Amino acid sequence: MMNDKYLIVIAGPTASGKTATAITIAKALRTVIISADSRQFYREIPIGTAAPTREELSEVEHYMIHNLSIEDRYDVADYEKDVLLLLKKLFLNHDAVVMTGGSGLFIDAVCNGLDSIPDISDETRNRVNALYEKGGVVALQNELQHLDPEYYEIVDKHNPRRLQRAIEVCYQTGLPYSSFRKNNTKERDFKIIKLALLWERNELITRINKRVENMISDGLVEEARSVYHKRNLNSLNTVGYKEMFQYFDGDISLNEAIELIKISTRQYAKRQMTWLRKNNDYRWFSIDEIPKMIEYIQSVIN
């Protein structure tokens, strides 16, 4: 049994300082970090996904970073299975393991287990595919907003696969997708401590804008161009790359692409905050309270 082992979750919106915070906490606890950022899995796109730098990766051992190619098919069910197996190994040598990232769905899968989603028939899947092919992501957004306004509020509205999946369940069952996301939490044989990073809104916006500018100076344009020929992959249907692809297509200017990335990232941060605030398990700290976070973790463990 591992009921004396702890998974320490460091969550927060994009650009809130999760990586640096997790590294400091992992060092204090002499442990390792598991990434829960569904875009940082892909090794070809480190700049646009704000993956930890080489220096950061050398400070503390990280898992689930650059472990996949953009060509690989990988979903939240794969992640849940892989991380639970990984934790069993890590807990042999560590009493606590840190998990950090901005993908709330992936964090929830590890902490609570995935809900039992019904099987989808080929007929339903084809129907939703036809909707997407005819009307694009806007048609999916409109349909999901109509079928399940609750899930529409928190879903990544620019991720067609997430939208399609929810609509498929609505069509297949006649029930809102959100109704399948409220099952009882699955028991885990480790304990969980959840911390979230709190930022004043305008300060976070400034950080997001600065991060995007840093990505451009670090080579985001060149990185996006290197994967442009694979633009139809689901792994590239994400903020930073979609806007750059529009620029390469000649639809918008580089400056317009940069501004769109800033806007989309701010919208993403807002969705992340909505997700976190719905979860009462998180203890909130500001970024300058890392000593307090460590003190809190140690008090819970002891």
Side-chain angles (χ1 to χ4, degrees):
M1 288 293 288
M2 295 191 295
N3 54 12
D4 58 343
K5 304 294 184 178
Y6 287 83
L7 178 67
I8 296 150
V9 176
I10 315 286
T14 190
S16 61
K18 294 185 294 295
T19 296
T21 302
I23 287 172
T24 304
I25 290 173
K27 279 177 157 181
L29 300 176
R30 296 180 182 175
T31 189
V32 298
I33 295 172
I34 298 174
S35 173
D37 188 308
S38 63
R39 304 188 316 151
Q40 292 178 1
F41 303 153
Y42 302 109
R43 66 180 72 95
E44 296 93 335
I45 49 174
I47 298 171
T49 60
T53 63
R54 192 172 294 163
E55 291 74 25
E56 288 171 329
L57 291 172
S58 69
E59 286 189 68
V60 171
E61 191 166 5
H62 284 68
Y63 294 85
M64 310 306 283
I65 295 269
H66 301 161
N67 55 308
L68 298 173
S69 165
I70 53 173
E71 306 264 3
D72 293 330
R73 289 181 67 88
Y74 195 78
D75 63 19
V76 67
D78 296 319
Y79 181 79
E80 179 194 18
K81 178 169 72 26
D82 289 348
V83 170
L84 290 177
L85 285 170
L86 175 61
L87 282 171
K88 278 194 171 163
K89 293 176 187 171
L90 295 176
F91 281 141
L92 294 173
N93 298 312
H94 301 280
D95 290 332
V97 171
V98 174
M99 169 181 279
T100 192
S103 301
L105 186 65
F106 286 70
I107 291 172
D108 281 358
V110 172
C111 295
N112 306 324
L114 284 173
D115 295 325
S116 302
I117 303 294
D119 291 334
I120 305 300
S121 69
D122 289 341
E123 183 186 355
T124 299
R125 194 160 280 129
N126 292 338
R127 183 181 165 198
V128 177
N129 269 333
L131 176 68
Y132 180 41
E133 284 171 14
K134 186 178 178 185
V137 75
V138 174
L140 296 177
Q141 290 168 349
N142 291 339
E143 185 70 347
L144 183 59
Q145 188 173 26
H146 168 68
L147 293 168
D148 190 351
E150 182 182 335
Y151 184 61
Y152 180 79
E153 278 303 304
I154 59 169
V155 70
D156 180 354
K157 296 174 184 62
H158 302 287
N159 184 328
R161 188 62 207 116
R162 294 261 170 92
L163 297 169
Q164 284 175 286
R165 180 67 173 143
I167 294 167
E168 286 168 359
V169 172
C170 295
Y171 281 176
Q172 186 74 35
T173 65
L175 297 168
Y177 178 65
S178 53
S179 68
F180 291 92
R181 302 179 64 252
K182 296 174 180 173
N183 287 358
N184 292 328
T185 300
K186 292 182 174 64
E187 285 295 315
R188 297 303 191 205
D189 56 1
F190 49 86
K191 293 172 182 161
I192 301 165
I193 301 172
K194 291 181 175 180
L195 314 179
L197 300 179
L198 185 63
W199 278 90
E200 193 274 321
R201 182 176 172 273
N202 288 335
E203 286 183 1
L204 185 63
I205 287 171
T206 300
R207 283 175 65 90
I208 287 169
N209 292 342
K210 181 68 177 165
R211 171 183 274 189
V212 174
E213 288 158 14
N214 288 342
M215 285 176 175
I216 297 299
S217 58
D218 288 345
L220 177 59
V221 179
E222 293 78 9
E223 181 177 271
R225 205 183 293 279
S226 73
V227 294
Y228 178 51
H229 61 294
K230 297 180 179 178
R231 61 179 300 176
N232 292 323
L233 292 174
N234 190 48
S235 54
L236 295 174
N237 185 35
T238 189
V239 176
Y241 302 95
K242 291 185 298 186
E243 296 83 358
M244 281 298 151
F245 297 160
Q246 285 180 271
Y247 162 56
F248 300 151
D249 288 340
D251 296 336
I252 56 176
S253 69
L254 178 57
N255 283 338
E256 285 172 323
I258 294 167
E259 281 310 304
L260 281 176
I261 294 170
K262 290 178 181 177
I263 291 166
S264 296
T265 306
R266 294 197 296 265
Q267 290 170 339
Y268 179 50
K270 188 177 177 183
R271 290 195 299 275
Q272 289 172 308
M273 289 300 290
T274 300
W275 185 290
L276 284 168
R277 286 191 177 118
K278 287 191 171 186
N279 189 325
N280 295 324
D281 296 340
Y282 282 97
R283 179 82 170 254
W284 292 82
F285 292 88
S286 67
I287 194 71
D288 57 359
E289 293 184 310
I290 295 179
K292 276 190 183 176
M293 293 184 213
I294 294 168
E295 195 179 307
Y296 170 67
I297 292 164
Q298 289 172 333
S299 72
V300 174
I301 291 174
N302 295 330

